[in-house]
Amino acid sequence: MSKEVDLKETWQLLMGARNLVLVSHVGPDGDTLGSTLGLARALKQAGKQVRLLVDDTLPAVYQFLPEMDTYEQPRAEQPIACDLVVVVDASSKDRMGEAEKCLSAPILNIDHHVSNTRYADYLLLDPHAAATGEIMYRLLTANGVPLDRELATDLYTAIVTDCGYFKYANTTPSCMRVAADLVALGVEPNEISDLLEIKARNSVELLAKVLPSLTFYADGKIATLEIPLELYDKNVSTESFIYHPRYIAGVDVAVLFKQVEPKATRVSMRSKQVDVSRVAVAFNGGGHPRAAGCTIGLPLAEAKKALIQALEKAMEAL
Ligand code: 5GP
Ligand code: MN
């Protein structure tokens, strides 16, 4: 069980440490990367020694974020000593990947997932925040940290990633106000959206092979796409594939299945009504009511069968 900390206590913890390791979650997205890079920038300005870890490849689309090249890949057999570990935007400990095994210092978790498992020693959690980037903005401004254009870009990227440019149900007046403040600091929304929405050619080519797998269940309320092991390539981005089944008339839940190993299938879910975070948690994953994910230790067809069954049950209960 974590000790919950507020914005002031969190800053005191951060300032009380000299060497900090910041960890972004596996399957890194704009929120975990932008929030981590923004915090790192503020901590370095405060004279702290900071190292950044992520146990995954970094999606090329985020390369424009300042200092992305400072991320290191953790190795279980290479322990890293520090005073405080800060885990950013990760609702459960396994989301640290190998970083879980090479760090032994106390953990501060900054997060916005309702499904947070309270694994850290200290927890700054706001499930109403649209993104961890929104919490990070509050943390820095509440403690008098000046934000430059680069830091504003980090946090703006974090926020727009998680609220889909203010389209999703997690968009609130407060998240829009924070974004407005960041734009006032020099962020160019059109430039960031162009940078984030650009697709690698191999990603669109893969999408063309995956779209024929589109299948409907539950009278058209569930739509699925599949990436079988033969098509899976960890270097090809599939982040945007889920938008295709998501925006079909009549669809409540969109699901992308991606077989990453013979017996491991990654699942991404987006919904309008069903609480998909509960379904994800039942498969040891997590997320938000309208966007969640998990990894099921089964081949694609079996994982799909189990998940569709769970979704149909969740729909019946509505
Ligand atoms: P995505 O479908 O984009 O991978 O993830 C959607 C949301 O669910 C994100 O907020 C992400 O952090 C969360 N999520 C996805 N997969 C997992 C998982 O395996 N475990 C946990 N705890 N959260 C996940
Ligand atoms: Mn997030």
Side-chain angles (χ1 to χ4, degrees):
M1 210 57 184
S2 309
K3 175 180 173 3
E4 288 221 31
V5 283
D6 63 19
L7 298 174
K8 292 275 172 204
E9 291 165 326
T10 301
W11 193 246
Q12 280 161 13
L13 276 170
L14 294 167
M15 290 303 104
R18 258 167 53 94
N19 292 293
L20 299 103
V21 171
L22 275 47
V23 182
S24 296
H25 65 68
V26 293
D29 58 15
D31 189 21
T32 195
L33 296 172
S35 301
T36 305
L37 288 165
L39 178 63
R41 198 170 176 86
L43 292 172
K44 284 185 206 158
Q45 276 164 15
K48 304 295 173 186
Q49 296 285 329
V50 180
R51 284 175 75 172
L52 304 188
L53 300 183
V54 65
D55 185 17
D56 219 326
T57 46
L58 291 165
V61 72
Y62 299 114
Q63 287 302 341
F64 75 92
L65 289 172
E67 302 190 37
M68 270 285 277
D69 57 348
T70 56
Y71 270 103
E72 301 168 64
Q73 176 122 25
R75 308 236 174 275
E77 66 283 4
Q78 284 175 3
I80 299 178
C82 64
D83 307 320
L84 186 68
V85 175
V86 188
V87 183
V88 181
D89 192 43
S91 58
S92 55
K93 202 169 188 183
D94 58 298
R95 303 280 285 159
M96 295 171 70
E98 293 286 291
E100 189 183 340
K101 299 183 190 130
C102 65
L103 297 164
S104 50
I107 298 179
L108 162 67
N109 177 209
I110 304 179
D111 187 34
H112 70 128
H113 291 90
V114 251
S115 63
N116 191 288
T117 60
R118 296 168 193 271
Y119 59 91
D121 300 284
Y122 304 98
L123 175 63
L124 175 62
L125 177 71
D126 179 2
H128 302 293
T132 298
E134 188 184 332
I135 305 175
M136 220 50 100
Y137 175 86
R138 292 191 202 300
L139 172 67
L140 300 181
T141 51
N143 289 288
V145 177
L147 309 190
D148 59 17
R149 187 167 177 265
E150 283 72 22
L151 211 161
T153 298
D154 288 332
L155 300 187
Y156 186 87
T157 301
I159 292 169
V160 296
T161 303
D162 267 27
C163 71
Y165 301 92
F166 315 104
K167 283 187 304 223
Y168 302 159
N170 58 355
T171 303
T172 59
S174 108
C175 120
M176 293 180 106
R177 282 195 190 100
V178 170
D181 289 350
L182 296 170
V183 173
L185 287 165
V187 171
E188 303 278 2
N190 60 315
E191 284 178 15
I192 297 202
S193 123
D194 285 354
L195 287 161
L196 289 178
E197 288 182 78
I198 192 93
K199 306 275 179 293
R201 184 171 152 171
N202 62 14
S203 172
V204 182
E205 285 166 351
L206 177 62
L207 177 66
K209 293 184 192 148
V210 167
L211 277 177
S213 73
L214 179 69
T215 311
F216 296 92
Y217 299 86
D219 295 328
K221 289 202 277 294
I222 301 173
T224 64
L225 282 182
E226 293 168 39
I227 306 175
L229 197 55
E230 312 85 81
L231 290 182
Y232 172 67
D233 178 345
K234 76 173 171 40
N235 296 313
V236 179
S237 167
T238 58
E239 218 179 312
S240 60
F241 287 18
I242 190 89
Y243 297 112
H244 295 273
R246 180 193 172 112
Y247 289 116
I248 298 173
V251 170
D252 179 0
V253 184
V255 194
L256 173 70
F257 295 94
K258 181 158 74 172
Q259 191 175 9
V260 293
E261 285 170 26
K263 279 194 171 181
T265 304
R266 274 283 314 150
V267 179
S268 276
M269 292 181 276
R270 301 291 182 271
S271 92
K272 294 203 177 73
Q273 286 194 300
V274 172
D275 183 345
V276 284
S277 91
R278 290 172 70 166
V279 177
V281 166
F283 290 92
N284 297 317
H288 308 283
R290 309 276 167 264
C294 55
T295 301
I296 302 178
L298 291 171
L300 198 150
E302 289 164 54
K304 182 172 180 182
K305 197 165 165 225
L307 191 95
I308 298 290
Q309 260 177 18
L311 279 175
E312 285 176 334
K313 244 179 128 178
M315 278 183 164
E316 280 166 22
L318 276 181

